């Protein structure tokens, strides 16, 4: 018998924690997961999954217009947002149960309660029960960040969690922060007919994305009457009975808008407090736990992954980091850390945006000789046929070797299309390989092929 | 039905071979087991035996040409079989294969205006599993830098060579033979034979990974010479060589010093049960070390017989891999060139090699008298990871005593 209760204890059952636990169990470890809430973490319960459920229903709602264009008389008067809400909760609940089942199937103990690390190998749950483990993995995730003046009450001033928990739609909303979460909610609300004001402090929506890509989304938003304010600082100037007066300050005269609710989506705060890290000397930086190779903290044997460390706040990043950490514990892995240029990012608005690696600008900044080709969706028969011709596939390549440095897709199904290029990049295939591969016609994937051909100077449909 | 005759791996390590000679001409028939051609592999020349009774319809790789394992070298079948389909298929493959020598370069890379064809890293296309796996990007960069992918160890999935590996590759540590003295006349560039490449690789690997140290002493060969003379006079039909005697006595000494008959395994040291002694044999175009197995169990006459056969095969490039791999100890004798003494590079997996100089009559002091004795200098190169100075010295002391008085080896 080992001197510890478990080979590994994972704190948090989000996509970081539960995937790590299952991987560790596959590798022969005796594992427990401690979770204070529902299994699945933010992603399944208050993030990726319910938001995608709402987005899909929002999109269906917009089809009403398409049906009207066919002469069909529609009547939306019976529309009840609560049933939309319930569906999103059902999806979350189903998947959370699914995680519970997967843990059980892999003989992983799920311990309910809030964990605190009380020694190098000891964890205290809810202040009394103690468990010991040879290794500890911290996967406690993050929570919505509060900015002064916009403290959440989840009634008028909402976090993303509060927004996902709305059972009725407001008439109007100001969304502060136009990152992935902000624009996704802008799409949802706008599609259901809510007046949306999208406010961003930097100079464009999705400021970290490829500029051409975010421009297309901005255009689509404007067409659907989303008000976009960039390079603008927002503050609440007045709380009114019907909502808020929000002050928007740019260079010139401040502007005021009246909205029923405010959604604040300006980043996330890591859940590293109340974990007992200080007692062990585990270092943090602005709350993010610091880790080295294989995501080991400054205390050997204790690892941290996912939203609680300072890497892209994405579910698939959390899972991959967890896999690397536990494979290292099992003496199996060879990858030290996730290569940031191989992380796909996805935004599920319509049009969708997906990308990885260097944007054109970042590639130039990094000093690469760059060759870029952007193939417009309207050159792909399928996109025209299904009336989704806004978009493009853009490849950012090394000018001499044509190595794929990054790719950015906007348009229908962009979040699925990106993976062909990412696989190419990961396996060091070249644009010429994609260019030479037969793609079924008509598909949106043909746009990927054409972009690759463009790099090789022989795109056909331009 | 005509079929492709593929290059096969004629030795366990063979990745490609050079067709040395075709024994069957186009249009000639052959039977199963006939020698179709001689193939120069990484170590030696091997015979390619016919797999079937058939007619050689077309030779694809001419004498002197190279083929990787799995690559078609000829087409065979019945007289009159149609082979144009096969030839067309092969031609097309060559044209579309991105790795085939500059095939379709103009079409693939229209704006590449350089007239000089870029050196191609290698030609890995083959139907068997032995092709070199490298990512297209790695191939491209290697091609641009003129790096031979076969020299690179891959770190990608399944050992695949990726960009990082090519970028980290340092061109061979073997210094190139170039002169900076300004004299007129063109230097001759000799393309490396497979054998040269292997010799270069193995020896530099040994020299750079095994920390060598050297122990030299001289042995008085008077008695051994006498014993051998007497034996050879008594058995004129089976005269024995000096090498056979030295080999036997060395094996006896190794039996008493098993720590010398061992190898470095990075996480352990492996002591060999048997003593397999290799003997370095010079060839026209290199050298090879055929070995006599389990020398400790054999009589000198037996060792000698085996040596004769092995040396003959070695000189004619006819050794099978089994006959030259796995020496636990090696002897190199440059005595017949008049070399007085020298140091040799260890031949893995052995951890020591014995370099023998010429037996020379020189004045030595015995019992305070100057006398003339046939002395032989010998230098043991040891891998310090396995053998310490004192252990090596002990072994040399024993060996010297056996050479000076062979009877001691019987005790
Ligand atoms: C609205 C929204 C939409 C999103 N959409 C996407 C998307 O489309 N794609 C994507 O990749 N990412 C998306 N994300 C981000 C994604 O949800 C996170 O990156 C992901 O959940 C991080 O996983 P994690 O395992 O690190 O942490 P979490 O999912 O946050 O899980 C941490 C878990 O640890 C538990 N916990 C914390 N402290 C303790 C403790 N002391 N004891 C016990 N348990 C504890 C928590 O209860 C939680 O269940 C979205 C996020 C939001 C908010």
């Amino acid at each position: 018998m080992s001197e510890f209760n478990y080979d590994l204890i994972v704190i948090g059952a989000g996509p970081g924690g539960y995937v790590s636990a299952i991987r560790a169990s596959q590798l022969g470890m005796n594992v427990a997961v401690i979770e204070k809430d529902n299994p699945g973490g933010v992603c399944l319960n208050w993030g990726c999954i319910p938001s995608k459920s709402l987005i899909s229903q929002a999109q269906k709602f917009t089809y009403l217009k398409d049906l009207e264009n066919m002469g069909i008389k529609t009547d939306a008067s019976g529309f009840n947002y609560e049933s939309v809400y319930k569906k999103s909760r059902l999806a979350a609940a189903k998947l959370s149960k699914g995680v519970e089942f997967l843990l059980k199937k892999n003989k992983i103990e799920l311990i309910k309660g809030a964990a605190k690390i009380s020694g190098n190998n000891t964890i205290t749950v809810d202040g009394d029960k103690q468990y010991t483990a040879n290794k500890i993995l911290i996967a406690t995730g993050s929570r919505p960040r509060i900015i002064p003046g916009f403290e959440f009450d989840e009634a008028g001033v909402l976090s993303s969690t509060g927004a996902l928990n709305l059972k009725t739609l407001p008439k109007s909303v100001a969304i502060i922060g136009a990152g992935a979460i902000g624009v996704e909610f802008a799409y949802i609300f706008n599609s259901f007919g809510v007046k949306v004001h999208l406010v961003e402090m930097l100079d464009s929506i999705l400021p970290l994305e490829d500029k051409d890509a975010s421009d297309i989304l901005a255009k689509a938003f404007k067409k659907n009457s989303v008000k976009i304010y960039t390079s603008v600082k927002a503050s609440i100037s007045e709380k009114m009975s019907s909502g808020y007066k929000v002050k928007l300050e740019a260079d010139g005269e401040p502007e005021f808008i009246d909205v029923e609710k405010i959604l604040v989506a300006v980043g996330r705060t890591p859940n590293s407090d109340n974990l007992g890290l200080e007692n062990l000397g585990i270092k943090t930086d602005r709350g993010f736990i610091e880790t080295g190779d294989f995501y080991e903290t400054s205390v050997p044997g204790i690892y941290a992954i996912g939203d609680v460390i300072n890497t892209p706040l994405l579910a698939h990043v959390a899972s991959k980091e967890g896999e690397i950490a536990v494979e290292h514990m099992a003496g199996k892995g060879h990858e030290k850390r996730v290569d940031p240029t191989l992380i796909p990012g996805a935004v599920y608005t319509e049009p969708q945006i997906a990308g990885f690696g260097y944007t054109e600008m970042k590639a130039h900044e990094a000093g690469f000789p760059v060759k870029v080709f952007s193939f417009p969706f309207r050159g792909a028969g399928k996109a025209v046929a299904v009336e989704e011709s806004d978009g493009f596939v853009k490849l950012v390549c090394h000018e001499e070797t044509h190595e794929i440095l990054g790719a950015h897709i906007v348009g229908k199904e962009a979040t699925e299309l990106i993976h062909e290029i990412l696989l190419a990049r990961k396996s060091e295939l070249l644009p010429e390989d994609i260019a030479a591969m037969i793609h079924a016609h008509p598909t949106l994937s043909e746009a990927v092929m054409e972009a690759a051909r463009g790099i090789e100077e022989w795109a056909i449909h331009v | 039905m005509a079929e492709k005759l593929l290059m096969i791996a004629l030795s366990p390590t063979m990745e490609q071979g050079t067709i040395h000679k075709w024994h069957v001409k186009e249009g000639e028939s052959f039977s199963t087991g006939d020698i179709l051609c001689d193939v120069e592999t990484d170590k030696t020349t091997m015979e390619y035996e016919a797999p079937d009774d058939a007619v050689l319809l077309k030779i694809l790789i001419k004498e002197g040409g190279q083929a990787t394992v799995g690559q078609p070298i000829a087409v065979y079948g019945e007289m009159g079989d149609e082979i144009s389909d096969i030839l067309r298929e092969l031609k097309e493959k060559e044209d579309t294969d991105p790795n085939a020598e500059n095939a379709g370069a103009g079409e693939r890379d229209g704006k590449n205006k350089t007239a000089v064809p870029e050196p191609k890293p290698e030609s890995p296309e083959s139907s068997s599993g032995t092709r070199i796996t490298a990512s297209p990007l790695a191939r491209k960069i290697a091609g641009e830098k003129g790096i031979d992918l076969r020299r690179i160890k891959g770190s990608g999935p399944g050992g695949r060579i990726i960009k990082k590996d090519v970028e980290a590759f340092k061109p061979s540590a073997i210094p190139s033979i170039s002169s900076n003295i300004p004299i007129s006349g063109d230097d001759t560039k000799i393309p490396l034979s497979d054998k040269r490449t292997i010799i270069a690789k193995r020896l530099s690997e040994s020299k750079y990974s095994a920390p060598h140290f050297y122990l030299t002493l001289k042995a008085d060969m008077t008695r051994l010479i006498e014993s051998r003379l007497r034996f050879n006079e008594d058995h004129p039909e089976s005269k024995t060589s000096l090498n056979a005697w030295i080999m036997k006595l060395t094996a006896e000494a190794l039996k008493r010093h098993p720590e010398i008959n061992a190898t470095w395994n990075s996480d352990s040291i492996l002591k060999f049960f048997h003593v397999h002694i290799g003997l370095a044999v010079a060839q026209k175009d290199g050298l090879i070390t055929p070995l006599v197995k389990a020398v400790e169990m054999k009589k000198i006459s037996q060792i000698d017989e085996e040596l004769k056969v092995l040396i003959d095969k070695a000189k004619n490039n006819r050794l099978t891999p089994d006959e030259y791999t796995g020496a636990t100890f090696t002897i190199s004798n440059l005595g017949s060139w008049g070399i007085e003494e020298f140091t040799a590079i260890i031949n893995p997996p052995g951890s020591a090699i014995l370099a023998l100089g010429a037996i020379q009559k020189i004045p030595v002091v015995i019992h305070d008298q100057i006398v003339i004795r046939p002395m032989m200098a010998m230098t043991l190169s040891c891998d310090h990871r396995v053998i310490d100075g004192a252990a090596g010295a002990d072994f040399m002391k024993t060996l010297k005593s056996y050479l000076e008085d062979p009877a001691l080896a019987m005790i």
Side-chain angles (χ1 to χ4, degrees), chain A residues 12 16 35-36 41-43 48 52 115 140-141 268 306-307 313-316:
Chain A
E35 170 58 63
K36 64 179 159 71
V42 168
C43 180
C48 333
K52 262 81 269 176
T140 48
R268 315 261 312 162
D307 277 11
L313 306 180
L314 292 167
H316 42 282

Side-chain angles (χ1 to χ4, degrees), chain A residues 11-17 34-38 40-43 46-48 51-52 113-115 139-142 160 164 181 185 268 271 275 305-307 313-316 318 348:
Chain A
I11 309 178
I34 306 175
E35 170 58 63
K36 64 179 159 71
D37 214 320
N38 288 331
V42 168
C43 180
W46 301 107
C48 333
S51 65
K52 262 81 269 176
T140 48
S142 64
S160 57
L164 290 170
I181 296 176
F185 277 109
R268 315 261 312 162
N271 293 328
L275 275 177
I305 54 113
D307 277 11
L313 306 180
L314 292 167
H316 42 282
Y348 296 81

Side-chain angles (χ1 to χ4, degrees), chain B residues 260-271:
Chain B
I260 311 296
N261 193 49
T263 194
W264 178 253
N265 256 355
S266 46
D267 59 344
S268 59
I269 289 174
L270 183 69
K271 278 191 190 171

Side-chain angles (χ1 to χ4, degrees), chain B residues 235-303:
Chain B
H235 305 85
E237 75 296 348
S238 57
K239 284 189 181 163
T240 50
S241 66
L242 190 66
N243 279 335
W245 285 71
I246 295 175
M247 214 180 236
K248 177 66 188 176
L249 293 169
T250 304
E252 291 301 323
L254 284 170
K255 245 165 63 185
R256 279 158 193 78
H257 298 274
E259 64 279 9
I260 311 296
N261 193 49
T263 194
W264 178 253
N265 256 355
S266 46
D267 59 344
S268 59
I269 289 174
L270 183 69
K271 278 191 190 171
F272 295 111
F273 182 76
H274 282 299
V275 178
H276 305 319
I277 301 186
L279 181 70
V281 176
Q283 297 171 298
K284 284 197 302 295
D285 54 347
L287 93 164
I288 197 158
T289 49
L291 58 128
V292 179
K293 293 198 181 145
V295 180
E296 80 283 10
M297 297 167 69
K298 292 177 178 161
K299 290 193 293 192
I300 293 176
S301 54
Q302 213 175 336
I303 296 168

